[in-house]
Amino acid sequence: MRDKGDYLFTSESVSEGHPDKVADRISDTVLDAFLAADPYARVACETLVTTNRIVLAGETRGPSTITREYLAHLARLAVHDIGYEQDGFSWRDAKIDVLLHEQSADIAVGVDAAGNKDEGAGDQGIMFGYACSETDALMPAPIYYAHLILRRMTELRKIGDARAAGLLPDAKSQVTLRYADGKPVGTTSIVVSTQHEDGMSQDEIKAMLRPLVSELLPEGWMCPDDQFYVNPTGKFVIGGPDGDCGLTGRKIIVDTYGGAAPHGGGAFSGKDPTKVDRSAAYMCRYLAKNVVAAGLATRCTIQVSYAIGVSHPLSVYVDMHGTERDVDHVKLETALRELVNLTPRGIREHLRLNRPIYVPTSAYGHFGREPDDQLGTFTWEKTDLAPALKAAFGR
């Protein structure tokens, strides 16, 4: 996104009932089950969901108490919690195949610590983190509000609130914001497509959703009524995995910054924290957010890169997009590496990632969420590094 000028920018989100998010939820449910039994278990779980069918595949290394039957049971509970009890996809009747097998010994040798060798990265790759001052969560405004709309719809649906009466789990949102001199000032269009009970009209659903959406936006930001699109095709009764096949890791832009920042290409859900696709992306967000929270810049992108089996990152890159305030990039890159151990082990320990904390991340974004000290979730959203960064630059 541009730092200055007038332009439009759009981001989308999908609900926890979207087929790909159902798959992400099940994969993270499997991961949490293993980590609850053994904090150092290894998991790379992929899930496919389609009409009354759930398939789990991938590699694990963990206690034998985590049986295929137990994982199938947990998958059903996850689908039940999302709210699917329909003819084409039901937590009761879906056939579940658990095809997980032991992790490759070749991968284990590269990742495991042994002798003088520290734990290595679980794969090669590049990871990005981003933060900006557009919202209190230090997230880009378009994805922030796209998530917020769907989270609110889901909350109301699950408690049986009349403001979401007749709505079903599958939904998508899309928010287009107008920027003036590089700052968001209002929406020009909003799209909400939501699965619904048969017999509800498009006009009825639009009338239901307009006040709900409007109250979530800053005052004066709601788009004109003719630019508020609800179920543009007119009908959305068949949804979820019965309407479209879902796969783990197919919503990586929704999971991150809504297209406002680069993405390394690696998905998150179903991967234990030795997989730097996930853990290093979390660390990059943590670092970028603390740079912005410390007042060193109003926008910050951070990239790291790793080689499989190698513990230290091959590179650390910081871009403050010209918004830095008397901050030298090289000095900042050095300071970040000194303040935080960027090895896979260092990341896991600093962010306390070896715990069953991942199911809440599987929908509505991995970033921009409120950290919960009691549950230990979203530790990468803390700004506890900001004081040290301020001190390093004499602020």
Side-chain angles (χ1 to χ4, degrees):
M1 294 171 66
R2 304 172 198 156
D3 298 308
K4 296 181 180 180
D6 299 347
Y7 57 91
L8 304 181
F9 193 86
T10 304
S11 294
E12 71 159 347
S13 180
V14 296
S15 73
E16 63 192 62
H18 184 280
D20 296 330
K21 283 288 136 195
V22 175
D24 284 346
R25 168 66 178 271
I26 294 171
S27 291
D28 275 333
T29 296
V30 170
L31 172 60
D32 278 358
F34 273 94
L35 292 179
D38 177 2
Y40 300 99
R42 300 284 170 79
V43 179
C45 177
E46 310 289 347
T47 302
L48 176 148
V49 291
T50 186
T51 302
N52 268 334
R53 189 73 176 265
I54 300 171
V55 180
L56 280 64
E59 304 78 47
T60 65
R61 190 175 78 191
S64 59
T65 52
I66 307 298
T67 64
R68 293 183 177 187
E69 292 75 18
Y70 179 58
L71 294 177
H73 171 68
L74 292 180
R76 290 193 192 281
L77 293 182
V79 174
H80 178 267
D81 183 64
I82 292 169
Y84 277 114
E85 192 169 1
Q86 302 166 11
D87 290 342
F89 192 72
S90 169
W91 68 276
R92 296 179 186 274
D93 305 324
K95 181 180 179 182
I96 302 178
D97 296 318
V98 180
L99 307 178
L100 295 162
H101 60 82
E102 286 291 313
Q103 184 188 57
S104 161
D106 291 344
I107 293 177
V109 167
V111 175
D112 291 347
N116 294 324
K117 174 186 173 296
D118 196 5
E119 178 182 304
D123 201 353
Q124 72 172 50
I126 58 175
M127 299 85 206
F128 288 92
Y130 179 75
C132 64
S133 58
E134 291 182 12
T135 61
D136 290 341
L138 303 186
M139 285 288 287
I143 188 68
Y144 177 83
Y145 289 109
H147 285 322
L148 195 61
I149 290 167
L150 294 184
R151 288 186 70 183
R152 185 61 173 152
M153 287 169 56
T154 298
E155 290 166 0
L156 295 176
R157 173 178 62 82
K158 286 189 169 184
I159 64 174
D161 192 289
R163 288 171 289 177
L167 301 188
L168 297 175
D170 194 358
K172 301 178 76 172
S173 65
Q174 185 170 286
V175 174
T176 300
L177 287 186
R178 181 169 65 88
Y179 283 72
D181 196 24
K183 297 180 180 179
V185 295
T187 65
T188 60
S189 65
I190 297 174
V191 183
V192 180
S193 295
T194 179
Q195 187 186 15
H196 58 88
E197 294 178 353
D198 202 6
M200 297 181 72
S201 71
Q202 184 183 30
D203 289 342
E204 179 184 358
I205 298 170
K206 182 175 181 178
M208 177 191 301
L209 292 182
R210 184 173 178 84
L212 186 155
V213 170
S214 182
E215 70 181 13
L216 297 174
L217 300 172
E219 187 175 356
W221 274 37
M222 187 63 186
C223 62
D225 191 65
D226 64 351
Q227 295 298 308
F228 181 48
Y229 301 97
V230 174
N231 287 0
T233 61
K235 185 177 181 181
F236 187 3
V237 174
I238 300 173
D242 187 33
D244 191 12
C245 177
L247 296 170
T248 299
R250 219 162 47 173
K251 286 292 176 285
I252 59 176
I253 300 303
V254 170
D255 285 343
T256 53
Y257 307 103
H263 196 295
F268 300 157
S269 289
K271 296 178 180 178
D272 74 74
T274 67
K275 279 72 174 176
V276 285
D277 273 345
R278 183 172 213 163
S279 57
Y282 288 178
M283 177 54 77
C284 286
R285 162 63 178 173
Y286 173 71
L287 296 178
K289 186 174 184 180
N290 277 273
V291 167
V292 175
L296 304 184
T298 57
R299 284 182 64 199
C300 182
T301 299
I302 292 180
Q303 184 208 56
V304 296
S305 65
Y306 291 87
I308 187 168
V310 178
S311 57
H312 288 276
L314 306 183
S315 64
V316 177
Y317 167 80
V318 178
D319 185 356
M320 291 175 280
H321 307 277
T323 70
E324 61 268 27
R325 296 163 182 171
D326 298 320
V327 177
D328 178 76
H329 284 74
V330 174
K331 183 179 178 181
L332 178 56
E333 290 163 5
T334 301
L336 293 174
R337 295 185 80 147
E338 290 175 349
L339 288 170
V340 179
N341 179 351
L342 294 178
T343 66
R345 181 197 299 274
I347 292 171
R348 290 190 296 102
E349 292 177 351
H350 190 95
L351 297 180
R352 298 184 294 130
L353 298 179
N354 285 101
R355 294 169 299 131
I357 57 173
Y358 296 101
V359 163
T361 71
S362 62
Y364 313 115
H366 293 246
F367 307 129
R369 309 285 289 275
E370 193 68 29
D372 188 318
D373 288 331
Q374 184 174 357
L375 297 176
T377 52
F378 300 101
T379 54
W380 50 93
E381 290 297 313
K382 291 187 174 185
T383 54
D384 53 347
L385 200 65
L389 285 169
K390 288 182 180 180
F393 288 89
R395 303 299 168 90

